[in-house]
Amino acid sequence: MSTEHEGGNAGSEQPVPTSGDSAGPSPDVRTRAVPTDAAPDDTVVQPVQPVQPVQPVQPVQDAGAPDNTAAEQTLVQPVAAQEPIDPPADPALAGYPPPNAQQPIAEPTVPPVPPVPPVPPVPAAPVLAAFPEQPLPTVAAAPEFPPPVEATAYAHQSPPPPPYGAAQPQYGGYPGGTPFPPYDDGTASRKKRRGGLIALLAATAIIAGGIGGGIGSWLETRDSSSGSTTVTSTIDPKALSRAPDSIAGIAARALPSVVTIEASNSQESGTGTGFVYDTQGHILTNNHVVAPSDNGGKLTVKFSDGSSYPATIVGRASGYDVAVIKLSQTPKKPLVPLALGNSDQVAVGDTTIAIGAPFGLSGTVTSGIVSAKNRPVASGDSTGAQTSYMNALQTDASINPGNSGGPLMNASGQVIGIDSAIQSTGSNSSTGGQSGSIGLGFAIPINQAKWVADQLIKTGKPVYPIIGILRDDSYTGVGAKIASAPVQGTPAITAGGPADKAGLKPGDVITQLDGVAIDSGPTLVSEIWSHHPGDTVSVTYTRDGQSHTTNLTLGSRVGDQ
């Protein structure tokens, strides 16, 4: 067993370090204990892997030798500093530096911002000329970035997205899809990292500002080029077409055949509507529309294309409120009469289309439904001097002053009536004139109007069916009462007339005519005028509290009274 003795040769051996003294050798060298079975001169030191500094060796006394043995004392020689032995190479650790190696800290590298394709410069809109352009801030922390551009090439159109499954740029990338560079790994100083981040954000803000300015410039150019700030879309011309049986399709076909009529004399004037009745130039309208032009007045007909022609009155029927006029000149374009329907076949709820010039607004089209049939209506002109009666078609299509004389058509574009009157709430307090539509308009059934028009064209005079009585309009009960005595020398029942022949007497109250209930005098007249002279109708009347029924044949009267 090798030992170290206290009385060794101090001249040839180095003194043994005491506890707490430096061992002397390089800290990169580690000593290994001497085997216990080695000879005294076999003391060796084997270099091994670098470890902590060598601990001082304490002298050990051999327990098996006597204290007085003069054995040769041997001290352990301190190991000289040796070069460290490199550890075996590990492929997994190839990229890491030695534990105590000091590596220089690299500055964070910010990739340059990719340039954005510019667009041609555009002139500023006049509306923005008064606002001074604000300069973009200068960022000194990032001089390597290019200056902001005016706009991107896709300022008005987003770039196409990457294909499905392709790598997506991280959130917050540059325009065009280039991602922002990642943050440093933490080895750089906080101050440098913060400075790099601020520079990056500042440069991004500048580029974003440039893109926004480019978009604004493009929109400004687009708006200023059209002179409007609204956005329009392209419409397929085919989408503008309308079905022939639609309201738009019917109106398009009918408008060229609807006219605006202006009638005037030295004291009054008015505007109404009419429509082409035949190819000979006859126009059908209301009597009260053309009345101001009678006795030397002026009558003008204006078509939808703007052409105007003078006209003359062919015939007037004030009781029916129907008139026929004729163009004094041959129009430039061929006349296209409107097709006439059958008003007897109209049902409540059917579609109605009204065309006219309400308040002088020519070519106005409104629509609604037939809200009632056989509505007894008594209407008069503005002076109240002329009263007309009709068994009218009622509609909620908007009809206003100026619509008078215009066509009321069905869903097939056929004329089923002539717009003639409206129910209103009274005069307009602001203008003093008639108020507008409240959804109750009345039209003369076209079957009746056609019969009257044909009489006017043939003879120039209207023909009315009559029963030969005088009414007592002061009667407030239900029904139409025959006057009880002569009125201004005229007998209550015409001798030899239809009522006289049927057995009616003065004072009788008529309650039904041909199965239709009669509730007043105007209702009786409206129902009589819905028939033709020579028609046989049943009459139910009350006399002395008893109800009676008889038949009579309608007579006739030519002209207005």
Side-chain angles (χ1 to χ4, degrees):
M1 179 176 182
S2 299
T3 60
E4 292 181 348
H5 301 281
E6 295 179 358
N9 187 355
S12 61
E13 300 292 335
Q14 297 293 330
V16 178
T18 61
S19 177
D21 296 336
S22 175
S26 169
D28 295 333
V29 179
R30 176 183 294 178
T31 59
R32 185 171 61 183
V34 180
T36 57
D37 59 349
D41 295 334
D42 292 339
T43 302
V44 294
V45 178
Q46 297 294 337
V48 292
Q49 296 181 356
V51 293
Q52 299 297 325
V54 178
Q55 300 294 329
V57 180
Q58 300 295 333
V60 181
Q61 183 176 0
D62 189 354
D67 295 339
N68 59 355
T69 302
E72 181 180 1
Q73 295 181 356
T74 304
L75 297 177
V76 178
Q77 298 294 329
V79 181
Q82 298 185 12
E83 295 294 331
I85 299 176
D86 296 331
D90 188 347
L93 304 177
Y96 291 84
N100 296 328
Q102 298 294 329
Q103 298 295 333
I105 299 175
E107 293 292 336
T109 302
V110 180
V113 179
V116 183
V119 296
V122 294
V127 70
L128 299 179
F131 294 89
E133 183 177 356
Q134 299 296 329
L136 295 175
T138 303
V139 181
E144 66 276 12
F145 291 155
V149 295
E150 294 183 2
T152 62
Y154 48 83
H156 62 285
Q157 182 179 2
S158 301
Y164 180 80
Q168 302 289 330
Q170 65 180 9
Y171 179 79
Y174 293 106
T178 304
F180 288 147
Y183 294 115
D184 59 55
D185 57 3
T187 59
S189 65
R190 182 177 300 275
K191 181 176 181 181
K192 292 183 179 181
R193 178 176 60 189
R194 183 176 180 183
L197 177 60
I198 293 175
L200 176 62
L201 294 178
T204 305
I206 293 175
I207 293 177
I211 294 174
I215 296 174
S217 299
W218 177 79
L219 292 175
E220 178 182 323
T221 303
R222 180 172 180 174
D223 291 344
S224 61
S225 62
S226 62
S228 173
T229 58
T230 58
V231 178
T232 59
S233 60
T234 302
I235 300 178
D236 186 355
K238 295 181 179 179
L240 299 177
S241 62
R242 300 293 185 269
D245 57 350
S246 67
I247 294 177
I250 293 172
R253 295 193 308 271
L255 280 169
S257 299
V258 178
V259 298
T260 299
I261 301 174
E262 297 178 358
S264 63
N265 57 30
S266 60
Q267 297 180 346
E268 61 177 333
S269 63
T271 300
T273 309
F275 59 93
V276 177
Y277 184 70
D278 57 25
T279 57
Q280 282 72 41
H282 291 111
I283 305 295
L284 189 57
T285 185
N286 282 141
N287 173 69
H288 71 266
V289 170
V290 301
S293 66
D294 196 16
N295 298 323
K298 182 179 179 181
L299 192 62
T300 303
V301 173
K302 184 177 180 180
F303 285 82
S304 61
D305 61 358
S307 59
S308 298
Y309 305 94
T312 58
I313 296 176
V314 174
R316 299 169 52 199
S318 60
Y320 292 117
D321 197 17
V322 174
V324 175
I325 63 176
K326 187 175 182 180
L327 299 177
S328 301
Q329 299 177 0
T330 302
K332 297 178 181 179
K333 296 181 179 179
L335 295 176
V336 179
L338 291 182
L340 305 182
N342 187 344
S343 55
D344 291 340
Q345 297 178 354
V346 171
V348 174
D350 284 352
T351 298
T352 58
I353 304 169
I355 302 179
F359 300 103
L361 302 175
S362 301
T364 298
V365 179
T366 58
S367 64
I369 62 169
V370 174
S371 53
K373 292 179 60 177
N374 301 319
R375 181 73 73 191
V377 175
S379 63
D381 60 9
S382 59
T383 64
Q386 295 180 346
T387 303
S388 60
Y389 300 90
M390 69 187 85
N391 225 10
L393 296 176
Q394 180 179 301
T395 180
D396 65 349
S398 182
I399 298 175
N400 292 283
N403 273 103
S404 294
L408 183 70
M409 298 180 291
N410 59 17
S412 299
Q414 299 172 333
V415 179
I416 57 175
I418 300 176
D419 299 328
S420 181
I422 62 173
Q423 177 67 47
S424 64
T425 57
S427 61
N428 190 314
S429 59
S430 61
T431 62
Q434 188 178 13
S435 61
S437 171
I438 60 171
L440 292 173
F442 305 101
I444 303 169
I446 193 61
N447 289 6
Q448 179 184 10
K450 181 180 183 302
W451 182 81
V452 175
D454 290 342
Q455 294 294 325
L456 294 176
I457 293 174
K458 182 178 180 180
T459 66
K461 294 182 180 181
V463 178
Y464 296 94
I466 61 172
I467 62 174
I469 66 170
L470 293 179
R471 303 187 320 270
D472 182 4
D473 289 338
S474 64
Y475 177 71
T476 59
V478 177
K481 184 179 180 180
I482 302 174
S484 301
V487 178
Q488 297 180 356
T490 303
I493 295 179
T494 303
D500 186 28
K501 293 179 179 180
L504 295 176
K505 301 296 182 180
D508 289 346
V509 178
I510 300 175
T511 57
Q512 287 188 9
L513 181 71
D514 208 25
V516 177
I518 304 299
D519 59 0
S520 65
T523 301
L524 177 63
V525 178
S526 298
E527 188 61 30
I528 292 173
W529 286 359
S530 65
H531 295 79
H532 299 157
D535 291 347
T536 300
V537 295
S538 63
V539 177
T540 300
Y541 61 95
T542 301
R543 180 187 298 168
D544 298 330
Q546 300 294 321
S547 179
H548 306 274
T549 300
T550 185
N551 293 327
L552 61 78
T553 301
L554 297 176
S556 64
R557 186 192 78 209
V558 178
D560 293 316
Q561 292 181 347

